[in-house]
Amino acid sequence: MPPTSALILNVNDDAASRYVTSRVLGLAGFRVVDAASGMEALALVTEDTDLVILDVRLPDTSGLEVCRRLKETPRTQGVLVLHLSAQAVGPGDRAQGLEHGADGYLVAPVDPEELVAQVHALLRLRQAEREVKALSREVVHQRQLLELAISCAADPIALYDEAGRVLSANQSLYASRGSHAVHAPGRTLDEMQAADGALTPYLEQVRVALRTGQVQRGTMVLGSDRGPRYFDYVLSPALGAGGEVLAVMSSLRDVTESRSAEEFREQFIGMLGHDLRNPLNALSMSAQQLRRKGGLDERQGMLTERILTSAERMDRMIRQLLDFARSRLGGGIPVVRSSCDVFEVVRRTVDELRASHPGRVVELESKGDGLGKWDFDRLEQAVGNLVANALKYSPAESTVRVGAEGSEREVVLRVHNRGTPIPAEDLPHVFGAWRRGRRAASDAGAPSGLGLGLDITRQIVRAHDGDAQVASSATEGTTFLIRLPR
């Protein structure tokens, strides 16, 4: 605090002493107001007064009483008091003055430099107190804003301290579960688990977040007054300067409606795919019998082949639908491992696609050993999806390159094409279901697929404990990569 900004009330009934003290303080740059009695001092002091230099023995009332009243009055309780006395000079006097609320005690006569230094020290204390109060008000304000934001949030939110106790939970959390809610402030993780066993997997993730300081995500199903509800949750730890976990905030999102719609769609797809197979098989068998019987003219033969080609394409779509439904409802696509050669899978797939795309160039390069325990048919399906995708989305005059490399620990498959690059914002979602890219101009008339091929490919690779990735740019082209651990 700059000295010139400080306002000091100098209270002393001795005019000479009062003059000397005020003169010293004035020369030091302080603003000084004089008072000759206790009652005058109480009348002159305001909330803007920084310091009262108060004689202990005054004609109308004791300086100790003036100090007490200053400290008890809300308007002036923050004013600093420095007792200055030439008569009450004993240790007991000084102790009594400090016990009555004084912030300092000097015995007169006092050296001017000591007086100014003491005043400066007390004013630094007052400035520190002001800063602490301002900071405290800001902290309270920020806390109120945080509590208001959390309470008004549409999604359920809960906050846990470093020991896992509930600090707060918003109204949305209680409303989402009604009478089933157990997130009362102060409850521990163990107490909530005992009250609602369905929370156990979620609370274990809270413990992991508290222990590791890492964000945890998941989905859970919980009971409520409206029946079972599905929630996606994110647990976000708040870390201290040393990396220790100070708190964990849990934000939840009710996905019951979207999940129910998704499950219905997937069940419907599964039933649809299953029920379509019988009439499709009958159609395909009838066309095959017509072809075997012979005696068809050119137009009839062309129509029969078109029926067979369309039936094969429909059969592939149905198989994709069934695989998709199975992966969603059954936790993944099942695989049956047996000894086989991945390189043979790739060679056979490339040969078939070369035959069905006579105008295209598909190069194949193999290196190392492809032997291992895999599901031959499923890998053929996955590789076929990638190579067919590369042919579909690249120019007719370009080359599709397929690479297979086996090492001691894994087999890596690569499928590369020079088609239009995949936009960067779409790359994270390429393996999602129902997604289709823009076909090459040469393939513009081909029927569009369902957008399930890459999703199924990823499911097959994951069933082999592998990983599927994609990289795409205008300079390097598009490369799909599969890693299969041995």
Side-chain angles (χ1 to χ4, degrees):
M1 175 185 298
T4 54
S5 68
L7 176 62
I8 298 176
L9 176 62
N10 181 24
V11 186
N12 196 320
D13 63 324
D14 182 76
S17 298
R18 186 172 67 248
Y19 172 79
V20 171
T21 300
S22 295
R23 177 68 175 168
V24 169
L25 296 173
L27 292 174
F30 298 106
R31 295 179 293 145
V32 183
V33 176
D34 290 343
S37 67
M39 298 307 296
E40 185 181 3
L42 292 173
L44 291 175
V45 71
T46 69
E47 58 268 20
D48 295 325
T49 304
D50 295 290
L51 173 66
V52 176
I53 297 180
L54 184 61
D55 190 6
V56 174
R57 296 185 178 177
L58 296 170
D60 55 346
T61 184
S62 167
L64 301 179
E65 175 62 18
V66 173
C67 178
R68 185 188 64 79
R69 291 174 64 178
L70 288 175
K71 296 296 184 179
E72 289 180 351
T73 303
R75 183 174 60 89
T76 60
Q77 62 183 5
V79 176
L80 297 171
V81 174
L82 171 61
H83 279 312
L84 182 62
S85 178
Q87 300 178 17
V89 299
D93 295 320
R94 292 195 293 271
Q96 188 178 20
L98 295 174
E99 288 176 356
H100 276 74
D103 301 284
Y105 201 106
L106 291 177
V107 174
V110 62
D111 182 82
E113 292 185 358
E114 181 182 359
L115 174 63
V116 172
Q118 181 69 43
V119 169
H120 275 299
L122 289 174
L123 290 176
R124 286 195 297 271
L125 174 62
R126 178 170 172 81
Q127 178 64 17
E129 289 178 345
R130 284 175 170 170
E131 292 175 353
V132 169
K133 288 180 179 179
L135 182 60
S136 298
R137 287 194 296 269
E138 180 63 21
V139 169
V140 171
H141 177 64
Q142 294 295 332
R143 181 180 178 85
Q144 290 173 341
L145 289 178
L146 176 61
E147 291 176 348
L148 179 63
I150 292 176
S151 65
C152 295
D155 291 332
I157 294 176
L159 187 64
Y160 307 93
D161 66 14
E162 71 279 3
R165 295 184 184 88
V166 179
L167 290 174
S168 63
N170 67 350
Q171 186 58 38
S172 294
L173 186 144
Y174 296 119
S176 66
R177 302 199 64 199
S179 60
H180 295 253
V182 298
H183 275 75
R187 273 196 169 181
T188 66
L189 299 180
D190 290 340
E191 289 172 343
M192 287 186 287
Q193 187 170 336
D196 187 352
L199 283 170
T200 298
Y202 164 79
L203 296 176
E204 286 300 321
Q205 292 295 90
V206 175
R207 293 184 177 96
V208 171
L210 288 168
R211 185 173 63 253
T212 65
Q214 297 179 350
V215 174
Q216 305 295 317
R217 293 179 171 85
T219 301
M220 60 180 170
V221 57
L222 298 172
S224 75
D225 292 343
R226 295 175 291 165
R229 310 296 295 179
Y230 290 90
F231 296 92
D232 286 346
Y233 61 83
V234 179
L235 302 173
S236 305
L239 305 181
E244 71 280 10
V245 177
L246 302 179
V248 170
M249 187 179 76
S250 172
S251 56
L252 299 93
R253 186 165 61 93
D254 191 332
V255 295
T256 305
E257 303 304 326
S258 60
R259 182 167 182 131
S260 298
E262 183 179 352
E263 287 184 352
F264 172 78
R265 182 179 68 177
E266 291 168 359
Q267 290 173 355
F268 174 76
I269 287 170
M271 291 185 293
L272 178 65
H274 181 271
D275 292 343
L276 281 177
R277 272 196 155 170
N278 289 334
L280 180 62
N281 288 338
L283 178 67
S284 179
M285 290 177 62
S286 298
Q288 290 173 6
Q289 289 178 359
L290 285 173
R291 185 171 60 180
R292 285 195 298 268
K293 183 177 181 181
L296 302 175
D297 59 29
E298 182 179 352
R299 177 173 175 76
Q300 290 171 336
M302 181 185 66
L303 292 175
T304 301
E305 291 301 323
R306 184 177 297 174
I307 291 173
L308 288 171
T309 301
S310 298
E312 290 174 0
R313 185 164 61 251
M314 290 176 64
D315 183 62
R316 287 194 300 270
M317 290 182 178
I318 290 172
R319 282 190 279 113
Q320 284 189 341
L321 286 172
L322 292 175
D323 283 340
F324 173 75
R326 187 181 296 113
S327 68
R328 289 299 195 269
L329 301 176
I333 293 178
V335 297
V336 179
R337 295 174 181 257
S338 62
S339 297
C340 66
D341 188 345
V342 175
F343 291 179
E344 177 60 26
V345 173
V346 177
R347 279 193 294 270
R348 197 164 90 171
T349 302
V350 169
D351 288 343
E352 289 180 358
L353 287 168
R354 281 172 176 164
S356 60
H357 295 75
R360 298 301 302 272
V361 177
V362 182
E363 293 184 354
L364 172 60
E365 180 181 356
S366 301
K367 180 180 178 181
D369 175 22
L371 294 176
K373 285 190 175 295
W374 330 98
D375 188 319
F376 189 100
D377 293 334
R378 285 299 188 185
L379 287 184
E380 187 176 38
Q381 182 182 2
V383 175
N385 285 341
L386 293 184
V387 179
N389 199 65
L391 290 167
K392 178 182 292 187
Y393 295 108
S394 61
E397 66 277 6
S398 66
T399 298
V400 172
R401 291 179 170 84
V402 181
E405 182 176 352
S407 64
E408 182 180 351
R409 301 179 62 179
E410 65 178 1
V411 172
V412 179
L413 307 178
R414 292 181 177 84
V415 179
H416 175 269
N417 75 83
R418 280 288 181 179
T420 303
I422 302 170
E425 63 272 18
D426 290 343
L427 281 174
H429 314 291
V430 163
F431 289 100
W434 314 110
R435 301 189 70 87
R436 293 192 294 267
R438 290 171 293 179
R439 288 168 290 169
S442 62
D443 199 40
S448 179
L450 294 172
L452 298 176
L454 292 180
D455 178 74
I456 292 171
T457 296
R458 180 180 58 177
Q459 297 291 337
I460 292 172
V461 173
R462 285 180 174 176
H464 285 87
D465 302 318
D467 183 33
Q469 302 170 359
V470 62
S472 186
S473 68
T475 56
E476 300 296 330
T478 300
T479 299
F480 283 87
L481 184 144
I482 291 176
R483 294 184 180 276
L484 297 171
R486 292 189 184 277

